[in-house]
Amino acid sequence: MTARMAQLAAEYDRSAAFPSESLSIAHTEGLLTATIGERYGGWGAGVEESARILHRLGRLDPSVALIAAMTLATHARQAAQPHWPQELYARVVKESFARPVLVNHARVEPDLGSPARGGLPSTRARRTADGWSVEGTKRFVTGAEGLDWFLVWATTDEDDPRVGTFLVPGDAPGIEITGRWDQLGLRASGSHDVTFRGVEVPYEQVIGLGPYGRGAEQDNRAGAALHLPLAALYLGVARAAQDFFRTFAHARVPANLGHAVARTERFRRTAGEIEVLLAGAEELVFGGAARLDAGDTSYTPEQALGARVLADRHGVRAVELAVRLLGNPGLARDNPLERHFRDVQCAPVHAPQEDVSLLAIGGKALGL
């Protein structure tokens, strides 16, 4: 798995093609179904195991890891608190064991931005004779062109509007990719803009339908089980950058020096700083995940947010240190460090972003 996925990562980064072969590899290894609950026939991986899976995948191909993360998080939430229609979820599980089945939320909108900052979605669900008709555009839907299920956050058009998540099959008529993902990093993640034009959804295929803000799904504090695995993903990217830094340091032997630059004080000091940054962040992330799995009620959502803030900072800084020390070779397109540098810039972008996280952490620290 490691050799093939690492080889494909560079190719997918160049082409920005959907990483179907790598996702098939991940499926074969059982990584896309790891968090399916034991009650559904899965192995019920917890937060720490999810974090370690995404750390490893992030080290190989973070685009694949991010697509996998969304599916793993969906299964993990269902295992913790069943909320899907029972028969539908049973069908999804059965298909997931047979082939790669990808699921992701569609929440961000052009005008609203990230739901983590509050506000009602402008995507509308209109009542029909048989269910709902969904209209609207979502942005940054990771894995869009390969998704089997879109979990579309929308507002009903009722006199007293309700908000819920509408379960839309990926092959439903009326779904169109209307904006291509063309970003600096995670180029193969397929986080496209998707427009839903009169997409029909059966009445029972909606979850959490109720007044805005009622459900935990809209609560930024309720995502600790996702924050830590996401942080681990990008620490995996930083570890991949460290791997290249180490290889370069041993292979580079300047004529005027007569030995590998790895032996110089400058390289050893930077290598030490990179290791301290990453090891400390991993301790916070994996330690916090273990406490969540153990049901430690003293571990707060704010601690998980803080671990992610520090992990993102440390991961970005560690890769930056490697690039700065290597100079021009560090930014050359013919080595993986340049790709790792681009990919790790995506770490702080995920909601809730650092300013929102710090507000929550600060409010808790001040006893508000």
Side-chain angles (χ1 to χ4, degrees):
M1 181 185 76
T2 299
R4 182 58 179 158
M5 197 176 289
Q7 175 190 357
L8 287 167
E11 299 174 13
Y12 285 130
D13 177 74
R14 283 191 294 270
S15 67
F18 186 75
S20 53
E21 183 177 344
S22 292
L23 286 163
S24 293
I25 294 171
H27 165 74
T28 300
E29 298 293 331
L31 303 184
L32 299 182
T33 54
T35 54
I36 292 176
E38 293 180 358
R39 75 181 80 183
Y40 305 111
W43 93 51
V47 182
E48 183 182 4
E49 194 161 6
S50 298
R52 294 192 182 279
I53 288 171
L54 294 178
H55 185 270
R56 185 58 177 161
L57 286 175
R59 202 164 183 164
L60 298 173
D61 188 335
S63 290
V64 172
L66 188 61
I67 295 170
M70 301 303 131
T71 296
L72 289 173
T74 299
H75 290 306
R77 177 169 287 176
Q78 175 69 15
Q81 187 175 4
H83 53 286
W84 279 57
Q86 186 174 346
E87 290 185 8
L88 176 60
Y89 188 70
R91 191 175 88 226
V92 170
V93 167
K94 183 178 180 180
E95 293 177 1
S96 296
F97 287 134
R99 63 177 181 83
V101 172
L102 304 176
V103 187
N104 194 9
H105 285 264
R107 292 171 60 82
V108 180
E109 295 184 347
D111 294 328
L112 177 67
S114 170
R117 298 184 183 275
L120 284 166
S122 62
T123 299
R124 289 288 181 266
R126 179 177 54 82
R127 281 295 272 123
T128 66
D130 301 317
W132 305 93
S133 177
V134 177
E135 294 264 355
T137 296
K138 298 295 187 178
R139 302 207 69 194
F140 312 132
V141 185
T142 294
E145 57 201 302
L147 291 181
D148 294 272
W149 290 93
F150 292 87
L151 278 57
V152 183
W153 192 46
T155 306
T156 66
D157 68 344
E158 300 163 309
D159 292 337
D160 293 318
R162 294 179 291 168
V163 177
T165 299
F166 295 78
L167 308 178
V168 178
D171 59 358
I175 301 174
E176 181 185 356
I177 291 175
T178 50
R180 304 297 296 186
W181 173 256
D182 188 17
Q183 305 290 97
L184 180 75
L186 269 66
R187 291 183 51 74
S189 68
S191 301
H192 306 306
D193 295 356
V194 180
T195 297
F196 301 87
R197 294 191 173 96
V199 178
E200 298 293 328
V201 179
Y203 180 76
E204 66 276 8
Q205 285 183 202
V206 57
I207 55 180
L209 191 60
Y212 173 72
R214 183 195 68 177
E217 192 172 51
Q218 313 308 331
D219 183 354
N220 294 332
R221 289 163 37 89
L226 178 60
H227 300 325
L228 296 176
L230 268 181
L233 187 163
Y234 289 100
L235 290 174
V237 176
R239 284 294 187 186
Q242 182 191 43
D243 291 340
F244 180 82
F245 177 81
R246 183 186 299 113
T247 299
F248 180 93
H250 285 288
R252 174 66 173 152
V253 182
N256 64 327
L257 195 59
H259 58 74
V261 294
R263 293 171 55 188
T264 65
E265 182 177 325
R266 185 164 169 243
F267 267 78
R268 285 187 288 125
R269 183 184 297 113
T270 300
E273 186 169 355
I274 289 172
E275 179 59 27
V276 166
L277 287 169
L278 299 184
E282 287 167 352
E283 187 72 23
L284 280 174
V285 168
F286 294 131
R291 290 176 67 180
L292 283 174
D293 286 337
D296 183 350
T297 56
S298 67
Y299 188 77
T300 67
E302 289 79 15
Q303 287 175 284
L305 284 172
R308 209 196 105 190
V309 167
L310 284 176
D312 289 350
R313 288 179 179 178
H314 286 198
V316 171
R317 178 60 177 159
V319 181
E320 181 184 76
L321 285 170
V323 170
R324 284 191 176 190
L325 189 56
L326 267 59
N328 275 330
L331 291 174
R333 293 294 298 273
D334 63 352
N335 74 58
L337 184 57
E338 180 267 350
R339 170 164 46 92
H340 302 325
F341 177 76
R342 287 186 287 106
D343 287 339
V344 83
Q345 306 307 315
C346 297
V349 173
H350 292 285
Q353 293 172 346
E354 184 171 306
D355 64 319
V356 175
S357 297
L358 291 176
L359 281 172
I361 296 165
K364 178 76 171 181
L366 292 170
L368 301 177

